[in-house]
């Protein structure tokens, strides 16, 4: 996945400040934040979207890491939202599975 920007971020090819990292997952700030806190949590292994995930452990690692990041940022007090845009109608623009962690303001519902 030489061309994948999130693979490059995950493997250090693009220098990025990780706010969380373990053997399976990295988390970093979104380039174009949609809320005061906007973090992306991604598996290091390339999956083009959630549709391509073939191992339930990927979901477990992604979600549990996102909760760790939320707690490390103190977001449990006021709450937060986790979003995984999937495919064209889901609004996905980067074809590497990623979870958005959004917080720091009242988030509208339904989403656009
Ligand atoms: P999505 O639309 O769900 O695929 O989300 C892709 C997200 O990746 C968007 O919120 C972008 O702002 C973000 N993004 C794209 N390139 C980068 C980058 N190099 N570093 C951080 N965030 C990025």
């Amino acid at each position: 996945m030489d061309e994948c920007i999130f693979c490059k971020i995950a493997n250090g090819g693009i220098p990025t400040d990780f706010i969380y990292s373990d053997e399976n997952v990295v988390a970093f700030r979104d380039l174009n934040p949609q809320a005061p806190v906007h973090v992306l949590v991604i598996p290091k292994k390339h999956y083009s979207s959630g549709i391509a995930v073939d191992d339930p452990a990927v979901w477990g690692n992604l979600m549990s890491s996102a909760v760790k990041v939320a707690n490390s940022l103190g977001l449990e007090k006021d709450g937060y939202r986790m979003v995984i845009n999937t495919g064209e109608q889901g609004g996905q623009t980067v074809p590497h599975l990623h979870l958005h962690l959004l917080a720091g303001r009242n988030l509208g519902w339904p989403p656009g």
Side-chain angles (χ1 to χ4, degrees):
M1 283 300 145
D2 293 347
E3 303 304 316
C4 173
I5 188 159
F6 283 2
C7 284
K8 286 182 185 165
I9 288 174
N11 68 26
I14 297 176
T16 302
D17 287 331
F18 294 143
I19 60 174
Y20 176 83
S21 174
D22 65 25
E23 62 176 328
N24 299 304
V25 167
V26 297
F28 52 93
R29 305 264 177 196
D30 197 289
L31 201 59
N32 182 25
Q34 302 300 310
V37 177
H38 188 171
V39 174
L40 299 174
V41 186
I42 72 169
K44 289 181 175 175
K45 184 173 174 185
H46 183 85
Y47 294 95
S48 55
S49 80
I51 294 165
V53 172
D54 52 4
D55 178 357
V58 174
W59 293 120
N61 291 332
L62 194 66
M63 294 300 294
S64 60
S65 299
V67 171
K68 281 185 202 168
V69 173
N71 290 340
S72 76
L73 296 174
L75 304 182
E76 73 279 8
K77 178 174 174 287
D78 292 327
Y80 51 83
R81 183 174 295 172
M82 295 179 184
V83 175
I84 301 177
N85 297 328
T86 304
E88 189 178 342
Q89 289 198 347
Q92 183 180 3
T93 60
V94 175
H96 179 124
L97 174 62
H98 52 281
L99 180 154
H100 297 258
L101 173 63
L102 298 146
R105 65 173 172 84
N106 290 319
L107 297 163
W109 192 264

